[in-house]
Amino acid sequence: MELEFIDEEITAYGGLAILKQMLTQSGFIDKLEHLPLPVQRSNRGYSPIQLFVQFMAGIWCGANRFSQLDVTRMDRSIQRMFGWNKMPEHKAFQRYFEKFDIYSTYSVFGNLYRWFFDNLKFDNFTLDIDSSVITRYGEQEGAKKGYNKHKPGRKSQHPIIAFVSEIEMVANFWLRSGDAHTANNFKAFLEETLSFFGKKKIGLLRLDSGFYDKNIFNYLEQEDVAIDYIVAVPMYVTIQRKIAAQKTWLHIKEGIEIAEFEYKAQDWAKGRRMIAVRQKIAKRPKAVGKQLSLFEDDYELNGYRYTCYITTLKLSAADIWRLYRGRANCENRIKELKYDYGLDKMNQDGFDGTEACLLLMTIAYNFMSLFKQIIINEKVRNRLSTIRYKMLAIPAYIEQHSNKVIVKMALQMNRRAWIRKLWDKSVCFEFDISSS
């Protein structure tokens, strides 16, 4: 065996050409040209549009730290693929994101969210809102000590995120300081999120127990708001007593029973419907929920794990439980944003710069979600890490004949038909699609 070198410039990410084709066909570049992006003060500064697109391409290719964004900068074939004259190093992205403030962030990314949802056909949708803890190890602005399950005592930031369940996309993202309560600024966040949907109506709002709050319930039940909700209930002492007092439990399936009751806290103006679910630990050892700590000496009660939900829906108790179970996908999407996109790794000293960076990351996530559903269109939605391995990581080189750029991929014969199919779909891509 011997080692030799060739002069041909080959990229390891030839499959990125399919995504680039979809971006072009979607009108995303044209949309960016009409947004009030922060301008570069120097004539030597890179185009904001190139910085946006190159950042997204870097994320798709595996960068989850700023320094790793050089994965695309060092690739001349990607440069030719996108038609760029030169490519910036990772510090150029950091400098550019620092130009954002709260006003430009809303103006740019709010418009991008609206553009997404205006071009997708869906309505009466389910909105999931959740928060997540991002541990920070430096002195970044907004990094403060708060609830941190995995790293107690560490500084963190505590973003709130909204997802549209049916189309599997991020609907909004706010970065918050680490000492912010889960429900902090919920009303303002929800109102801004709903403004992105135009005339589309929300059918159901699903929240975890961190949003169990009388003020939230009162707001959602106002006549001019009227949003149906299902919210997980914390196992407070009063809730545990109410659950323990239930005598009638409906059998749903092996080891799962359900009950419902009305509950009125002392400071509530009215009672509200609650659904309690218990799962027998002996038959379902991996069941979610908590045991009733108030009754730990009661053998019968202690043999179950319990979950409880408060809701305005008129559906059966079993249907409400099943509807809420779909919210688990929201937590999986947050995990994908962290593990595959670098949500918990990319940060800057400035708060607004970090938020702008993470918002652009959610735009990259939404495009990948669109790619999964429309271009790949398989029953199983693979994560970005899997798609990167299956479809993006294809050796290729670029040739140019006249004004035509040709991507030549080195691919086994049995995979070529599938890649050709994806390519043809991206060439004919139309953003205006119906989502199921």
Side-chain angles (χ1 to χ4, degrees):
M1 184 181 296
E2 295 182 2
L3 174 65
E4 293 185 356
F5 296 96
I6 61 173
D7 295 329
E8 195 74 52
E9 293 179 341
I10 298 176
T11 178
Y13 296 101
L16 192 62
I18 303 174
L19 271 165
K20 189 266 180 183
Q21 194 72 26
M22 188 190 80
L23 272 183
T24 303
Q25 292 295 114
S26 70
F28 178 65
I29 308 299
D30 293 335
K31 180 63 182 177
L32 289 179
E33 290 175 349
H34 292 88
L35 291 180
L37 299 173
V39 297
Q40 299 279 36
R41 294 187 178 91
S42 169
N43 291 331
R44 298 177 60 191
Y46 287 87
S47 160
I49 294 175
Q50 179 181 342
L51 291 172
F52 263 53
V53 175
Q54 189 178 332
F55 178 86
M56 293 167 61
I59 295 292
W60 291 330
C61 290
N64 56 26
R65 288 179 173 83
F66 276 108
S67 61
Q68 295 174 1
L69 289 171
D70 287 340
V71 68
T72 53
R73 182 198 178 209
M74 301 299 182
D75 195 321
R76 292 289 300 278
S77 292
I78 289 180
Q79 179 179 330
R80 297 178 65 188
M81 186 187 298
F82 282 85
W84 296 322
N85 294 325
K86 55 182 180 177
M87 299 171 73
E89 64 165 350
H90 67 274
K91 291 183 179 179
F93 297 98
Q94 294 174 296
R95 289 192 296 269
Y96 186 71
F97 287 132
E98 289 294 344
K99 296 179 183 295
F100 280 87
D101 56 26
I102 188 171
Y103 304 105
S104 57
T105 296
Y106 173 78
S107 181
V108 171
F109 294 101
N111 273 299
L112 283 176
Y113 282 133
R114 288 189 188 93
W115 175 73
F116 258 104
F117 303 136
D118 283 348
N119 283 286
L120 288 170
K121 292 181 180 178
F122 67 96
D123 206 349
N124 197 34
F125 58 92
T126 300
L127 189 70
D128 296 319
I129 297 180
D130 204 349
S131 63
S132 183
V133 174
I134 299 177
T135 302
R136 298 302 190 199
Y137 297 93
E139 298 297 326
Q140 297 89 352
E141 186 179 0
K144 296 183 179 180
K145 291 183 180 179
Y147 174 76
N148 194 332
K149 179 180 179 180
H150 300 292
K151 297 281 186 178
R154 286 279 191 183
K155 292 181 179 180
S156 63
Q157 291 173 328
H158 191 190
I160 182 171
I161 315 173
F163 296 90
V164 182
S165 177
E166 289 80 1
I167 60 174
E168 303 174 14
M169 291 186 183
V170 178
N172 201 4
F173 177 97
W174 279 11
L175 188 64
R176 304 180 299 181
S177 63
D179 58 354
H181 183 269
T182 298
N184 187 46
N185 280 335
F186 170 82
K187 179 182 175 182
F189 178 79
L190 178 62
E191 288 176 346
E192 180 182 283
T193 303
L194 294 181
S195 73
F196 298 154
F197 294 98
K199 295 182 180 180
K200 293 180 173 64
K201 301 297 182 183
I202 178 174
L204 176 63
L205 177 65
R206 298 186 295 201
L207 306 169
D208 72 5
S209 59
F211 298 92
Y212 181 85
D213 185 285
K214 174 192 68 174
N215 295 325
I216 289 178
F217 303 149
N218 290 340
Y219 168 69
L220 295 174
E221 293 166 7
Q222 289 177 13
E223 187 175 348
D224 59 337
V225 179
I227 297 175
D228 282 320
Y229 60 81
I230 308 175
V231 183
V233 178
M235 286 297 171
Y236 296 140
V237 169
T238 51
I239 301 297
Q240 291 189 43
R241 286 177 178 156
K242 195 73 176 177
I243 292 174
Q246 300 307 305
K247 303 301 181 185
T248 304
W249 291 86
L250 177 66
H251 176 81
I252 300 299
K253 59 170 67 173
E254 186 69 20
I256 303 178
E257 297 173 334
I258 197 165
E260 68 174 280
F261 53 88
E262 185 176 280
Y263 174 75
K264 180 180 178 297
Q266 288 185 350
D267 59 345
W268 291 6
K270 64 178 181 179
R272 293 181 169 93
R273 185 187 184 195
M274 287 199 174
I275 310 297
V277 180
R278 68 179 188 181
Q279 302 189 52
K280 198 167 187 62
I281 297 173
K283 294 182 178 180
R284 307 180 74 87
K286 295 183 180 180
V288 298
K290 295 182 178 180
Q291 294 174 279
L292 302 183
S293 58
L294 195 63
F295 301 92
E296 59 184 0
D297 295 330
D298 188 310
Y299 177 77
E300 182 179 353
L301 291 175
N302 212 35
Y304 294 87
R305 288 199 184 99
Y306 297 82
T307 52
C308 188
Y309 312 96
I310 185 170
T311 184
T312 54
L313 291 175
K314 309 300 183 186
L315 300 173
S316 70
D319 284 340
I320 289 169
W321 171 61
R322 293 187 184 101
L323 273 174
Y324 190 83
R325 289 178 67 192
R327 189 185 169 282
N329 287 328
C330 169
E331 297 176 0
N332 291 333
R333 290 178 188 121
I334 291 177
K335 288 180 181 177
E336 184 177 7
L337 278 166
K338 286 185 174 182
Y339 300 151
D340 294 356
Y341 290 77
L343 183 75
D344 58 343
K345 298 179 181 67
M346 283 202 182
N347 62 89
Q348 303 186 202
D349 290 336
F351 185 88
D352 292 332
T354 299
E355 185 173 47
C357 164
L358 300 185
L359 276 163
L360 185 52
M361 195 177 291
T362 68
I363 299 300
Y365 179 92
N366 284 357
F367 264 110
M368 181 53 67
S369 180
L370 201 62
F371 186 79
K372 294 176 189 178
Q373 296 176 67
I374 307 305
I375 305 299
I376 297 179
N377 193 23
E378 293 180 348
K379 185 176 182 180
V380 176
R381 304 271 199 260
N382 292 131
R383 282 176 40 169
L384 172 59
S385 56
T386 302
I387 291 174
R388 188 181 299 130
Y389 168 75
K390 290 175 59 177
M391 193 276 293
L392 296 182
I394 300 174
Y397 65 93
I398 308 296
E399 285 188 353
Q400 191 160 357
H401 298 292
S402 299
N403 294 323
K404 182 180 290 186
V405 175
I406 301 173
V407 182
K408 296 205 169 186
M409 298 184 181
L411 198 62
Q412 302 96 319
M413 292 294 295
N414 60 353
R415 295 184 61 201
R416 292 182 181 181
W418 181 63
I419 292 296
R420 170 62 69 179
K421 180 181 177 182
L422 300 185
W423 175 265
D424 291 342
K425 281 187 175 183
S426 69
V427 170
C428 301
F429 175 81
E430 292 184 3
F431 207 125
D432 189 16
I433 54 94
S434 298
S435 297
S436 58

